[in-house]
Amino acid sequence: MIKFISDLSHYRDVLSLVLSVKHTLWIGTADIKDLYISNGKAEKPFLGVLSELIGKGVNVLLIHAKEPGQAFREDFDKFKHLAIGLERVLCPRVHFKIIVIDCKMAYIGSANLTGAGMGMKSPNRRNFEAGILTDDSELVEAAMEEFDKVWRGEMCKKCQRKQYCGDPIVCK
């Protein structure tokens, strides 16, 4: 299956899958903010969802390009599993948007993990986004390899922006 995702379907089709992760969740995004999602009739912070997943034993990896804002940091501190269980890498060069679910499904597209990109913003305040959601094993593996190149620090060796990297993946 390869499905084209646009506008509100990012929220409906991609974030709803995150609620059902069983083993691994890899998230790569340039920007992450204090995102809220719908879980039935309730709204909950996306960070709360990640914390619950970690509490159930899900391995969550997050790569993002810059430090999130104050609201995100305040929410982060509310969820106990994040500080000890969320594996996070900060890389100022990351601009891809990749979400890999249980190594079987991948979103590859333009939407950051923000309200305007994937969240609960009204239709008139959302970004115009596009991407694909797929379970095609070749595309999922390619997305995982791209994510993993950054995660394992392979890209650090030839990066020419090391002076902007406050927490290098690979030591200089």
Side-chain angles (χ1 to χ4, degrees), residues 105-121:
M105 180 83 62
Y107 164 76
I108 307 159
S110 65
N112 283 305
L113 277 176
T114 65
M118 279 200 183
M120 297 182 71
K121 290 270 186 186

Side-chain angles (χ1 to χ4, degrees), residues 5-41:
I5 303 290
S6 65
D7 298 330
L8 288 175
S9 56
H10 277 87
Y11 178 72
R12 183 185 62 242
D13 295 340
V14 179
L15 290 184
S16 65
L17 289 173
V18 170
L19 297 170
S20 62
V21 173
K22 301 289 183 227
H23 306 287
T24 59
L25 176 62
W26 292 8
I27 301 169
T29 184
D31 194 10
I32 185 167
K33 292 186 178 172
D34 195 31
L35 172 68
Y36 280 72
I37 66 171
S38 177
N39 187 6
K41 293 183 180 186

Side-chain angles (χ1 to χ4, degrees), residues 5-151:
I5 303 290
S6 65
D7 298 330
L8 288 175
S9 56
H10 277 87
Y11 178 72
R12 183 185 62 242
D13 295 340
V14 179
L15 290 184
S16 65
L17 289 173
V18 170
L19 297 170
S20 62
V21 173
K22 301 289 183 227
H23 306 287
T24 59
L25 176 62
W26 292 8
I27 301 169
T29 184
D31 194 10
I32 185 167
K33 292 186 178 172
D34 195 31
L35 172 68
Y36 280 72
I37 66 171
S38 177
N39 187 6
K41 293 183 180 186
E43 294 176 4
K44 42 187 341 182
F46 185 69
L47 288 171
V49 171
L50 294 182
S51 181
E52 288 174 11
L53 291 172
I54 292 166
K56 293 176 184 176
V58 173
N59 182 24
V60 179
L61 307 180
L62 171 63
I63 300 173
H64 55 104
K66 62 181 182 177
E67 283 296 340
Q70 185 65 30
F72 177 96
R73 290 192 303 272
E74 288 171 4
D75 257 5
F76 188 94
D77 293 339
K78 294 177 187 174
F79 300 105
K80 64 180 181 177
H81 297 296
L82 296 178
I84 57 170
L86 177 63
E87 296 183 62
R88 202 169 64 112
V89 166
L90 191 66
C91 175
R93 299 288 304 254
V94 165
H95 200 261
F96 57 60
K97 287 74 174 187
I98 296 173
I99 298 175
V100 180
I101 298 166
D102 289 328
C103 302
K104 295 178 183 172
M105 180 83 62
Y107 164 76
I108 307 159
S110 65
N112 283 305
L113 277 176
T114 65
M118 279 200 183
M120 297 182 71
K121 290 270 186 186
S122 74
N124 297 330
R125 297 185 67 200
R126 298 180 59 80
N127 297 338
F128 304 123
E129 306 286 2
I132 61 166
L133 181 64
T134 185
D135 63 359
D136 178 272
S137 61
E138 288 182 35
L139 286 173
V140 173
E141 286 178 33
M144 290 176 67
E145 178 57 26
E146 194 63 29
F147 182 102
D148 201 38
K149 280 193 296 191
V150 174
W151 185 263

